[in-house]
Amino acid sequence: MSLRLSRGRFPGRRPAHIPEDYLYESALPVFGETLHKRLDGSRYSKEDIDILTVACANAFTGCAMRWIKSGMKADFEYLLKRTSDLFEDSLKNAFDK
């Protein structure tokens, strides 16, 4: 299975003017670059890192859309920072095993 992470290359992709797609397309290269920098040379294959990249981009997109749909009442910067910290700790624990 080969995941292509470059913009616009997923089959059946909708136009990026849809908010979910814009967020996803924006998050994908950020997560991809970050995870590949941290995990290259680890016991994880490029495919594993690509799968994790897609999962992270989808998780971010879902959280952002829920925040938007809820009226943007919560402090998103705080939520993003806390989620990032918790996620990083979880990754460290998972990859140290």
Side-chain angles (χ1 to χ4, degrees):
M1 179 175 141
S2 175
L3 296 175
R4 291 177 276 176
L5 296 179
S6 60
R7 295 176 148 236
R9 300 201 183 212
F10 287 100
R13 189 179 142 268
R14 297 178 295 176
H17 66 274
I18 298 170
E20 292 93 335
D21 292 334
Y22 175 78
L23 288 168
Y24 177 79
E25 292 286 335
S26 298
L28 197 61
V30 173
F31 282 108
E33 183 178 320
T34 301
L35 290 170
H36 277 280
K37 278 183 182 176
R38 288 187 174 225
L39 299 176
D40 276 347
S42 70
R43 65 187 170 125
Y44 299 96
S45 70
K46 181 183 179 321
E47 183 181 13
D48 289 343
I49 298 169
D50 288 348
I51 290 169
L52 184 57
T53 296
V54 170
C56 290
N58 277 306
F60 168 78
T61 300
C63 290
M65 290 308 301
R66 286 239 177 247
W67 175 72
I68 291 167
K69 290 176 182 179
S70 72
M72 300 183 284
K73 294 174 184 155
D75 180 356
F76 193 67
E77 187 174 339
Y78 170 78
L79 293 174
L80 201 54
K81 173 72 173 119
R82 287 295 301 140
T83 301
S84 175
D85 291 345
L86 293 167
F87 181 74
E88 187 166 335
D89 288 346
S90 296
L91 277 180
K92 283 179 186 173
N93 289 334
F95 295 135
D96 287 343
K97 291 183 180 182

